[in-house]
Amino acid sequence: MSGDVGKVYLVGAGPGDPELITIKGLRLLREADVVLHDRLLNDELLRDLKAEIIDVGKAPGRHKLSQEEINELLIKKAREGKVVVRLKGGDPYLFGRGGEEALALREAGIPFEVVPGVTSAIAAPALAGIPVTHRGISTALTVVTGHEEPGKEKELDWHALARVGGTLVVLMGVGRIRENTSLLIDGGLSPQTPAALIERGSWPDQRCVRGALGDIAERASSSGVKPPAVLVVGDVVKLEKHLGRRRIAILRAESQLDESVRLAERYGFIPVAAPSISLRALELPPDVKERIERAECVVFTSSNGVEIISRRSELLELIRRKRIAAIGPKTAQALSAKGMNVDILPDEYSSAGLVEALRGLKRVLLLRSAQGSPALLEGLISSGAEVDDVPVYEVKGSEDSRLDDLIRKAELIDVFAFTSGSTVRYLMRRADELGMEDHLRRALDSGLVVAIGPPTAAVLRELGVRVDVIPEKYTFEGMLEAARRESGVRS
Ligand code: SAH
């Protein structure tokens, strides 16, 4: 096809989340013969393309291409008749040197088009719960670069910026944050002006460090913020408390994880699933049938126990003829799902509540975890019951890599939800094995720690962890409700 000239599309890729590219950008990526992209782009966008893909940020084994070399490569590929996508982070024309590339193409007589993108200047604050303008709070947005190449451009007048009012967003602002925030204060902005740094906006490990103009540089360095990050200065930052989503660590066993994640999302959290425990079904005693027969009442203390017992339908048949007690609504639900009627549900969903509800019963059979609370057994015995405690499953550490990831990035977690003493013990044990116990303890200290009920809280305190919240109702939903109230999330 000699003589045919190609075309170059300067496409904005958005801030990182691959779903934040435009429909047009995505279509062009799929149609392109060649894609030139920068560092920092999400690989997912580049998967399954027919195009030749060139990383001009850090081509393996090669040095980073200079702007001139990038321009030349664009022109060369277009002259070969290729459809070229030049994929850039955020929007191509906001601190992306897209304009320079467009001018070079124009000069070389190559057809080109710009496809705007979602810029990090607005999207990163938005995703952290900060609208850059807000009625009654800010009616202006100023976007600047914090990192100027000395001598290249006219210096930014930071003192003047301090007087503009409204919201100031600083891109490429990590390196010179100390100097720039001081200049703004010198220029007349109060050191108390709210400020936030949003690191890796829209990526799974997005993080927001909050503070004020006077201390945000210090906070950024003590929490190790690295580029890419945007600095937001202005009263709109206060909205983060209400609009920001909080990350909640869910440490339950695999069997309860999916449902817990769904619930946490419904309550407005970003769930981080990290099972700290795993369950192993135990072999039941050979005389289990007789023991069921002998009992007056059969007690389940978790849906896990129900799940495991129901693998043996002949046992379910025997249990069906007994009075059945469940510790709380989730366990009761699991039983009804197996066609079992629950006769006894305590007012308080705890061992103490069960002891109360079972008062007067003579022969009680517990089908529960090998690590079940001794309080239940002791309480029943002292209220005069004859108790048969049959372990149905045991709780172990999970060996799940998600738990290790959680511990390494514990500082990203806002809320830690502990649903049992064993979730606490195995989390701490794993952190110790990784040599990161101190790191985890710092994160627990600055986050919100929620215990499902008093026994879990007791284990936390025994291990030296402060407990912030115990819900009124000892259920996972009760925890989410309480955590939402305490952590400022309004979904
Ligand atoms: N054209 C891009 C900006 C390129 S300059 C855009 O419109 O977003 C690079 C700077 O953008 C980084 O130093 C950082 O300040 C900001 N940035 C890019 N992606 C970001 C992200 N996901 N989260 C926070 N800041 C980001």
Side-chain angles (χ1 to χ4, degrees):
M1 285 200 281
S2 66
D4 258 14
V5 75
K7 179 165 177 178
V8 177
Y9 294 91
L10 302 167
V11 176
D17 177 348
E19 293 201 309
L20 291 179
I21 191 170
T22 62
I23 293 172
K24 182 165 183 174
L26 190 61
R27 173 176 62 78
L28 290 167
L29 268 182
R30 291 185 175 143
E31 290 173 6
D33 301 310
V34 185
V35 174
L36 269 72
H37 69 92
D38 295 325
R39 258 184 335 129
L40 295 179
L41 279 175
N42 198 317
D43 287 345
E44 217 168 294
L45 278 177
L46 303 171
R47 212 176 289 156
D48 299 327
L49 300 182
K50 68 173 169 56
E52 174 194 2
I53 296 174
I54 306 173
D55 179 350
V56 296
K58 56 155 203 280
R62 275 192 302 172
H63 69 292
K64 178 174 179 292
L65 295 191
S66 69
Q67 190 60 53
E68 250 90 85
E69 289 169 317
I70 294 171
N71 297 353
E72 278 164 27
L73 193 55
L74 288 172
I75 293 165
K76 173 169 169 280
K77 293 289 181 185
R79 287 206 169 127
E80 288 169 8
K82 306 262 171 66
V83 172
V84 183
V85 164
R86 171 71 177 108
L87 192 61
K88 291 175 156 293
D91 181 273
Y93 281 1
L94 188 78
F95 299 127
R97 305 191 73 171
E100 289 169 59
E101 292 172 15
L103 281 173
L105 292 164
R106 158 87 223 210
E107 200 138 298
I110 309 282
F112 71 90
E113 207 177 307
V114 66
V115 180
V118 172
T119 178
S120 63
I122 296 175
L127 293 168
I130 304 172
V132 287
T133 69
H134 192 83
R135 241 171 98 96
I137 298 182
S138 165
T139 53
L141 169 64
T142 311
V143 181
V144 302
T145 166
H147 169 86
E148 293 166 283
E149 293 175 52
K152 273 231 165 142
E153 321 238 351
K154 203 165 137 254
E155 289 248 330
L156 250 181
D157 184 346
W158 287 84
H159 287 172
L161 281 176
R163 293 191 304 271
V164 174
T167 307
L168 176 66
V169 167
V170 184
L171 267 59
M172 296 170 275
V174 180
R176 288 179 47 88
I177 188 166
R178 207 169 283 278
E179 296 84 335
N180 293 339
T181 48
S182 307
L183 285 168
L184 290 169
I185 293 169
D186 289 348
L189 269 182
S190 157
Q192 268 80 52
T193 311
L197 256 175
I198 301 104
E199 181 185 48
R200 288 176 67 76
S202 88
W203 293 80
D205 53 353
Q206 168 181 321
R207 175 163 69 146
C208 178
V209 174
R210 300 164 286 256
L213 196 55
D215 68 5
I216 192 75
E218 189 50 47
R219 285 172 188 260
S221 82
S222 68
S223 35
V225 173
K226 290 195 288 288
V230 299
L231 171 67
V232 190
V233 180
D235 283 335
V236 285
V237 169
K238 289 185 192 151
L239 292 166
E240 191 272 349
K241 185 169 187 293
H242 308 287
L243 304 181
R245 294 172 76 202
R246 300 284 179 260
R247 274 197 180 75
I248 189 168
I250 301 174
L251 302 155
R252 312 182 94 177
E254 188 66 58
S255 55
Q256 290 172 315
L257 218 49
D258 283 353
E259 196 200 350
S260 307
V261 161
R262 251 200 338 273
L263 281 171
E265 275 173 351
R266 209 192 307 144
Y267 276 79
F269 291 100
I270 302 174
V272 180
S276 70
I277 54 171
S278 66
L279 308 178
R280 193 174 71 90
L282 293 173
E283 201 166 322
L284 295 172
D287 60 347
V288 65
K289 285 189 179 169
E290 291 83 67
R291 289 162 78 168
I292 295 172
E293 298 272 23
R294 211 179 306 138
E296 202 180 336
C297 174
V298 179
V299 180
F300 290 90
T301 59
S302 82
S303 57
N304 298 315
V306 176
E307 194 50 50
I308 289 163
I309 287 290
S310 62
R311 291 177 200 161
R312 289 185 53 184
S313 54
E314 81 277 15
L315 296 185
L316 279 194
E317 284 317 307
L318 292 176
I319 294 169
R320 199 189 300 281
R321 295 185 215 140
K322 305 287 165 180
R323 302 185 70 174
I324 300 176
I327 195 166
K330 275 283 160 331
T331 309
Q333 214 175 52
L335 283 159
S336 332
K338 302 290 174 194
M340 313 282 280
N341 267 331
V342 175
D343 307 287
I344 301 166
L345 186 67
D347 292 332
E348 185 190 284
Y349 308 141
S350 67
S351 296
L354 262 178
V355 170
E356 208 42 54
L358 295 171
R359 201 170 284 282
L361 287 165
K362 284 283 158 280
R363 294 178 313 281
V364 176
L365 173 66
L366 308 179
L367 296 176
R368 59 174 188 157
S369 149
Q371 288 92 344
S373 135
L376 179 57
L377 186 63
E378 287 156 13
L380 287 170
I381 290 173
S382 66
S383 73
E386 184 190 306
V387 188
D388 189 4
D389 193 2
V390 174
V392 170
Y393 61 94
E394 66 173 358
V395 178
K396 303 191 306 167
S398 73
E399 291 175 11
D400 193 302
S401 64
R402 287 171 293 179
L403 183 64
D404 295 1
D405 294 344
L406 171 96
I407 293 168
R408 292 203 178 91
K409 297 212 160 162
E411 73 281 2
L412 292 179
I413 302 298
D414 303 293
V415 181
F416 292 86
F418 292 102
T419 48
S420 66
S422 45
T423 57
V424 182
R425 292 191 196 282
Y426 285 106
L427 172 67
M428 299 306 274
R429 179 199 282 192
R430 186 64 193 147
D432 178 41
E433 284 168 3
L434 294 173
M436 302 202 73
E437 195 182 330
D438 288 347
H439 172 75
L440 175 65
R441 283 185 182 277
R442 273 195 301 278
L444 285 164
D445 205 42
S446 58
L448 187 81
V449 176
V450 190
I452 196 166
T456 305
V459 173
L460 281 160
R461 292 189 188 115
E462 174 197 321
L463 295 177
V465 179
R466 180 202 68 238
V467 178
D468 299 302
V469 188
I470 303 173
E472 287 140 43
K473 272 218 165 83
Y474 306 149
T475 63
F476 189 64
E477 287 193 73
M479 296 176 82
L480 293 171
E481 179 60 47
R484 176 168 63 175
R485 263 200 320 268
E486 297 293 322
S487 64
V489 176
R490 315 269 191 285
S491 66

